[in-house]
Amino acid sequence: MSILIKNGTLLCPQGPVQADLRVEGEKIAAIGPALPEADCQVTDAAGKLVFPGFIDTHTHFEMNKGKPNETADNWATGTLAALAGGTTTVLDFAEPERGCSLESALETWHSRADGNASCHYGFHMTIKDWNPQIKAELKEMTAAGVTSYKVYLAYDNLKVSDGVAYEVIQAVGEEGGIVGCHCENGDLVTAGIAARKAAGDFSPAAHPLSRPDGVEAEAIHRWLCIAEQAGFPVNVVHISTRRGMEAVESARRRGQKVYAESCPQYFLLDDSLYSLPDFEGAKFVLSPPLRKKGDQDFLWEALSKGEVDTIGTDHCSFNFKGVKELGREDFSQIPNGIPGTEHRPVLMYTAGVAAGKITAHQMMKALAENPARLFGMYPQKGALVVGSDADITIIDPHDGGVLTAAAQHQNVDYTPYEGMEMKCRVDTVLLSGEPAVSRGQVVKTKQGRYVHRGPSRFWR
Ligand code: URP
Ligand code: ZN
Ligand code: ZN
């Protein structure tokens, strides 16, 4: 049985198109006006927006497994939540234990995800150690479908030196992959935390003060200078500030190929939340931290100009009770991260498209097409074109609802977006041609498959 999506507005690569779309098996088989209904299960999408399934470029499921600061979402709950919210593929960060191989991390992540995932998935690989053995493993990673990496310039247990960053960019670039970077100056973060504590400030409100915008901007500028010398395109993940985006834009003006990711929290939430009473500010502790309204305005403008390429969530969910609370007496002990993979599409639609800041087509590019291109999945994923995978998300812009922790699929005891009114609803999701969400309800679980990715396709 084929599926016919009729009368929808299709967000195609060239722009919105009023047309029908037929799915046969796992693929998109036809797009055009008035396609025949014979032998088809018909979904009427009149008044609705039909997107290629959204891709979350940035999740952390089962992070810190077995430790007191373990994340609340495992692979089963995290991918189910993503699917319920219209995301059909997530890219999660595999992370080797110190001194261990990349292959060991890949095995661990497969053992957690395979058979448990409700949406499709791939893995970025975190580089902590750098030595000839790890370098030699890059070829095996490419063969295994891992073509993107992350390095950190902050966090004592993760950060690499500038020299290592340079070598990683070159080695990965020669493999046709891309390296993303967590850009904060680790030494300045350490100094900032010490300064807040010396001032007697141990509350969550100290978190953004300990890592101000210059901490990010310096690291982005440095990362881009390193990449320029290494001679390969790079990605900057979770950009939070105007000054950080300006560093990206000025590198581009110099002719550098740089890709920029940001996240819904940096567009919708600001640093006033850290001053909430009763330790509630801890719910918003992530790094980089939430910023000022002026940063939000700058990011929206950058997104509308096509300067922000991808929107991921950095979903890293810690329960408030018992886990965020590890930092009740000391903000620097609050586990860093917030949930979001379920709500990214409705948030970006509501605050972006419905508010007139971006178009639905720009939203499609940042949440589906660009992630697929940058991370070696295009046009298999991220595109409504004949022959592509039938991962499809239909959004109803005439319905809505209020986001609450009580109603979410994410397995965490809060949402940073509690009480926010949404101007749309995820109606239907097809995963590889099969209905997985129908009228807003998840109807199929654990059908997610590993996505074996190829080289990046650069468009800048
Ligand atoms: O606070 C954050 N972002 N936690 C997740 C890890 C990371 O840096 O992406
Ligand atoms: Zn990071
Ligand atoms: Zn992250």
Side-chain angles (χ1 to χ4, degrees):
M1 170 78 78
S2 307
I3 295 177
L4 183 64
I5 300 172
K6 278 197 82 68
N7 306 319
T9 301
L10 310 185
L11 278 308
C12 293
Q14 70 276 22
V17 177
Q18 256 344 103
D20 300 345
L21 182 152
R22 191 172 71 244
V23 171
E24 277 172 22
E26 299 193 357
K27 301 284 178 192
I28 297 173
I31 293 176
L35 295 179
E37 291 186 16
D39 299 326
C40 287
Q41 180 188 315
V42 176
T43 297
D44 185 10
K48 301 196 176 96
L49 300 170
V50 183
F51 288 91
F54 296 117
I55 299 168
D56 190 343
T57 52
H58 195 144
T59 65
H60 300 272
F61 299 139
E62 292 183 47
M63 204 176 91
N64 304 332
K65 197 167 170 67
K67 303 193 178 127
N69 60 347
E70 180 172 355
T71 52
D73 278 300
N74 60 24
W75 273 86
T77 64
T79 55
L80 179 71
L83 178 75
T87 291
T88 51
T89 303
V90 297
L91 296 177
D92 196 82
F93 287 87
E95 189 184 316
E97 294 293 331
R98 181 65 73 194
C100 294
S101 64
L102 305 185
E103 193 188 1
S104 67
L106 187 59
E107 266 177 32
T108 301
W109 255 252
H110 268 302
S111 72
R112 294 174 185 175
D114 297 353
N116 288 318
S118 288
C119 68
H120 299 320
Y121 55 94
F123 308 125
H124 307 287
M125 185 59 67
T126 301
I127 303 277
K128 286 155 102 171
D129 298 308
W130 185 244
N131 53 47
Q133 291 75 34
I134 298 283
K135 185 175 176 185
E137 280 196 275
L138 296 185
K139 280 216 177 318
E140 289 165 43
M141 291 298 113
T142 307
V146 175
T147 51
S148 50
Y149 295 81
K150 183 179 182 188
V151 295
Y152 289 76
L153 298 180
Y155 297 123
D156 288 343
N157 59 337
L158 287 166
K159 77 177 179 198
V160 300
S161 69
D162 295 351
V164 164
Y166 170 84
E167 287 187 26
V168 172
I169 293 168
Q170 273 195 336
V172 169
E174 279 159 12
E175 275 294 309
I178 189 157
V179 190
C181 184
H182 177 119
C183 290
E184 290 186 292
N185 180 317
D187 289 345
L188 290 186
V189 169
T190 304
I193 291 171
R196 294 322 307 162
K197 291 187 186 175
D201 189 358
F202 289 83
S203 76
H207 177 66
L209 301 177
S210 70
R211 38 219 311 160
D213 58 356
V215 166
E216 176 177 81
E218 184 282 329
I220 292 179
H221 178 69
R222 177 159 42 104
W223 169 244
L224 297 183
C225 291
I226 296 167
E228 183 182 29
Q229 192 167 332
F232 287 95
V234 286
N235 191 23
V236 184
V237 300
H238 51 49
I239 298 177
S240 65
T241 57
R242 172 184 185 139
R243 288 177 65 184
M245 260 326 290
E246 283 174 342
V248 168
E249 291 176 23
S250 74
R252 284 174 177 159
R253 283 196 294 275
R254 290 193 299 271
Q256 219 179 320
K257 272 193 203 305
V258 184
Y259 295 88
E261 179 203 67
S262 190
C263 313
Q265 54 269 27
Y266 300 122
F267 291 82
L268 280 104
L269 306 174
D270 67 70
D271 63 359
S272 63
L273 291 160
Y274 292 115
S275 302
L276 287 173
D278 301 326
F279 195 61
E280 288 277 310
K283 292 180 175 173
F284 304 92
V285 167
L286 83 163
S287 292
L290 302 179
R291 306 295 187 175
K292 309 270 176 221
K293 292 241 188 281
D295 292 292
Q296 293 179 356
D297 294 342
F298 196 86
L299 288 177
W300 280 117
E301 184 70 19
L303 182 60
S304 75
K305 288 190 304 192
E307 298 281 355
V308 175
D309 300 293
T310 59
I311 301 287
T313 57
D314 200 4
H315 178 96
C316 188
S317 59
F318 296 107
N319 279 323
F320 180 71
K321 280 251 156 289
V323 184
K324 287 283 186 186
E325 283 182 334
L326 291 168
R328 260 208 187 268
E329 309 304 324
D330 173 357
F331 75 92
S332 68
Q333 300 305 308
I334 301 169
N336 279 206
I338 67 170
T341 195
E342 182 167 352
H343 299 135
R344 177 185 62 133
V346 294
L347 288 167
M348 294 309 289
Y349 181 85
T350 300
V353 181
K357 291 183 174 151
I358 55 168
T359 64
H361 189 245
Q362 286 170 324
M363 172 172 160
M364 182 281 286
K365 283 196 165 260
L367 275 67
E369 180 179 313
N370 291 348
R373 284 180 186 272
L374 190 59
F375 296 117
M377 297 180 276
Y378 194 84
Q380 178 196 354
K381 309 232 177 265
L384 295 183
V385 296
V386 172
S388 289
D389 290 357
D391 295 337
I392 296 173
T393 296
I394 305 179
I395 283 193
D396 186 348
H398 303 293
D399 202 346
V402 173
L403 299 185
T404 63
Q408 71 185 357
H409 296 79
Q410 296 172 155
N411 181 42
V412 56
D413 61 6
Y414 77 101
T415 164
Y417 307 102
E418 184 75 31
M420 280 194 191
E421 173 101 38
M422 293 296 105
K423 301 264 187 238
C424 70
R425 184 178 65 83
V426 174
D427 181 83
T428 300
V429 180
L430 301 187
L431 190 74
S432 296
E434 293 275 332
V437 174
S438 180
R439 294 203 183 94
Q441 301 301 313
V442 176
V443 293
K444 199 160 248 173
T445 61
K446 306 217 167 175
Q447 302 298 307
R449 293 200 297 252
Y450 177 66
V451 184
H452 187 284
R453 296 181 294 120
S456 300
R457 282 183 172 221
F458 299 121
W459 64 92
R460 287 191 177 281

